[in-house]
Amino acid sequence: MAKPPSAAAAAAAAPAAKVKKKIKRQILDAVAHIQATFNNTIVTITDPAGNTVAWSSAGVRGFKGSRKSTPFAAQVAAERAGNAAKEHGVRNLEVRVKGPGPGRESAVRALNAVGFRIAQIEDVTPIPHNGCRPPKRRRV
């Protein structure tokens, strides 16, 4: 004589609940923020309102230590962020570069090589208006 199926077995046999597919927003114009420090380069691509569409950095791409602060690492990070943004339909970019790092130029060139139309390149590096007091003079 067969046992009646338990509630757990009946739930497992039922079809799975439908999973909604996440809709990717289609964005034509975007802003690429490149933060180039002496230790790393971070590339963030946002929509005009500032919501992040895609990002990458030299550290995320697998570079460690002093290799993170190279132009090649910045190029790889920018290519990765650019390709991720292309999936969202981005075609036109405004580029805002911040910081003195070695990856500034190569990150912009990599975004251009991905196939974006770069409308504007702007330097937004913060410049102090005679900010902090310097440390006292060194006596030797």
Side-chain angles (χ1 to χ4, degrees):
M1 183 163 168
K3 289 194 302 186
S6 65
K18 288 190 177 182
V19 179
K20 286 188 179 179
K21 185 177 178 188
K22 187 173 180 183
I23 301 168
K24 289 189 177 179
R25 294 177 294 149
Q26 289 299 311
I27 303 164
L28 288 177
D29 300 324
V31 182
H33 300 271
I34 299 171
Q35 183 180 355
T37 65
F38 289 119
N39 295 320
N40 202 353
T41 303
I42 303 170
V43 181
T44 308
I45 299 176
T46 67
D47 62 8
N51 302 312
T52 301
V53 175
W55 72 279
S56 185
S57 73
V60 168
R61 300 308 312 138
F63 294 94
K64 298 272 187 247
S66 61
R67 291 199 309 269
K68 279 196 304 189
S69 59
T70 60
F72 177 69
Q75 174 187 336
V76 172
E79 285 172 357
R80 167 70 183 233
N83 288 328
K86 277 232 167 188
E87 293 176 9
H88 289 273
V90 176
R91 290 200 188 121
N92 305 321
L93 276 184
E94 288 182 16
V95 179
R96 296 192 181 143
V97 185
K98 180 188 282 188
R104 290 168 57 104
E105 295 293 324
S106 62
V108 175
R109 289 177 194 271
L111 288 173
N112 190 28
V114 169
F116 293 116
R117 192 179 73 75
I118 296 178
Q120 172 184 356
I121 301 173
E122 186 178 359
D123 188 358
V124 292
T125 305
I127 299 170
H129 297 283
N130 241 0
C132 300
R133 180 176 175 154
K136 62 185 180 183
R137 196 174 147 265
R138 203 167 154 255
R139 292 187 289 261
V140 179

